[in-house]
């Protein structure tokens, strides 16, 4: 088994420090790959083949080994992984004295090997996931066949709506490495930070969360439909605050978070990533606090509006106002609101011009507030809505 030799030698060293007997480990071909006596490593231990074939404990007394080459008295037990013998553990000494140790050490070695395999598989999966997100987020054009291959390998749902969230932690990991932190420690921290992101954004089995690079974590949030998107975005700032607080526990004080718009498949999720990256860059330049940005946030859109009056921002605003546009009384609400703006947000004068009661107009303005989340009593919010409806 790949990695078994290195593991065997580490195990021999660790176990030799805690028991009073010498030990050896052989592979399934009978070759000694780990031994308290390093001169025996690489030599053939033929009885190990017998232990593997019979899959049972064999005792070797002084009399039995007298005529055997490279065999010492003791007990040999098969090492079982995935329900089959893959190696042999030998405890050297009087069989009556060492047999109880053999069974204890066997359990320890098997447990440690399973744990080692588990960690290796986790690390391999993490590396594969990082390669996947780099592929789909950093390339405008991706192969559907390649994306399908990754999805099958990683058990990721392919055809569902997703949005990309980018979490920037700055140079925290790089600074730890510069300060002499060990790689295993850094890997453990990375796993912890990814778990924080998943918990903060209510992850499930279809979520994709990985490091894009040493500074950025990306989270591809699956969505059922437009309603689930709106619900999630309504809570986005609160969830972002929660994540910032969680990361502060690990000494990461400056965290920037941004979300792009939702997309229909993994092949086009790079658009959502670019939108999030653009928002993050813009928010930093404009010193917008608290460092949690998304296109569903009216305050962010209002801040961007003077600088980004283009086709893209119009499409974003139209998407954000879709519930109002789809309302059955939209045309009336639109007309009343535009008139309200034309009369400088004066309710009494607007109601008089519309030939309706003042309370009727207030009711309709409150309905706009409820449907859109805007505040028609705010000049800035009214300016934003006026811009879209007038268009």
């Amino acid at each position: 088994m790949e990695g078994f030799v290195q593991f065997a030698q580490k195990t021999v060293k660790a176990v030799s420090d805690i028991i009073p007997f010498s030990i050896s480990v052989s592979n399934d071909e009978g070759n000694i790959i780990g031994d308290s006596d390093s001169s025996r490593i690489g030599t053939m231990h033929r009885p190990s083949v017998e232990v593997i074939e019979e899959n049972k404990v064999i005792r070797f007394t002084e009399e039995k080994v007298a005529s055997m080459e490279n065999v010492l008295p003791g007990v040999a037990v098969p090492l079982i992984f995935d329900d089959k013998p893959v190696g042999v553990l030998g405890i050297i000494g009087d069989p009556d004295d060492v047999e109880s140790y053999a069974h204890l050490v066997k359990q320890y070695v098997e447990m440690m090997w399973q744990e080692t395999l588990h960690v290796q598989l986790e690390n391999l999966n993490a590396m594969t996931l990082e390669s996947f997100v780099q592929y789909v987020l950093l390339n405008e054009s991706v192969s559907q066949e390649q994306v399908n291959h990754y999805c099958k390998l990683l058990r990721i749902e392919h055809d569902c709506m997703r949005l990309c969230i980018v979490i920037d932690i700055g140079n925290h990991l790089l600074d730890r490495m510069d300060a002499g932190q060990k790689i295993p420690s850094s890997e453990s921290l990375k796993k912890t930070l990814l778990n924080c992101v998943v918990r903060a954004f209510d992850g499930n089995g279809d979520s994709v969360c990985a490091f894009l690079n040493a500074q950025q974590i990306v989270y591809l949030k699956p969505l059922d439909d437009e309603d689930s998107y709106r619900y999630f975005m309504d809570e986005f700032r609160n969830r972002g605050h929660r994540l910032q607080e969680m990361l502060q526990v690990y000494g990461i004080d400056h965290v920037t978070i941004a979300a792009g718009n939702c997309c229909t498949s993994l092949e086009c999720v790079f658009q959502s990533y670019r939108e999030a990256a653009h928002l993050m860059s813009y928010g930093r330049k404009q010193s917008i606090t608290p460092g949690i940005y998304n296109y569903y946030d009216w305050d962010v859109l209002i801040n961007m509006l003077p600088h980004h009056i283009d086709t893209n921002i119009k499409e974003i605003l139209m998407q954000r106002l879709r519930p109002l546009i789809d309302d059955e009384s939209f045309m009336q609400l639109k007309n009343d609101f535009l008139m309200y703006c034309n009369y400088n947000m004066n309710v009494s004068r607007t109601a008089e011009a519309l030939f309706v009661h003042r309370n009727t107009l207030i009711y309709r303005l409150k309905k706009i507030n409820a449907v859109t989340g805007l505040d028609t009593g705010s000049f800035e919010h009214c300016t934003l809505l006026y811009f879209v409806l007038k268009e």
Side-chain angles (χ1 to χ4, degrees), residues 86-100:
V86 298
V88 175
L89 169 71
I91 306 290
I92 301 166
D94 187 318
D96 292 334
D97 295 334
V98 302
E99 186 167 1
S100 59

Side-chain angles (χ1 to χ4, degrees), residues 309-327:
I309 303 177
D310 55 24
T311 302
N312 185 51
I313 196 71
K314 291 176 184 176
E315 291 175 353
I316 291 169
L317 291 169
M318 290 294 285
Q319 181 185 32
R320 181 67 178 84
L321 292 170
R322 180 56 56 188
L324 175 63
I325 296 170
D326 290 342
D327 191 280

Side-chain angles (χ1 to χ4, degrees), residues 67-78:
S67 60
M68 303 175 74
E69 183 181 353
N70 195 31
V71 181
L72 300 173
V75 175
V77 295

Side-chain angles (χ1 to χ4, degrees), residues 1 8 70 112 128 154 166 170 182 224 234 253 259 310 318 344:
M1 297 175 68
N70 195 31
M112 293 303 296
T128 304
L154 297 167
V166 179
K182 295 181 179 179
D224 294 328
D234 281 338
D253 296 321
D310 55 24
M318 290 294 285
N344 299 319

Side-chain angles (χ1 to χ4, degrees), residues 337 340 347 360-370 376:
F337 176 78
Y340 170 69
V347 173
T360 300
L361 178 61
I362 292 174
Y363 168 81
R364 292 172 183 173
L365 293 175
K366 285 184 176 180
K367 182 173 183 178
I368 293 174
N369 293 347
T376 52

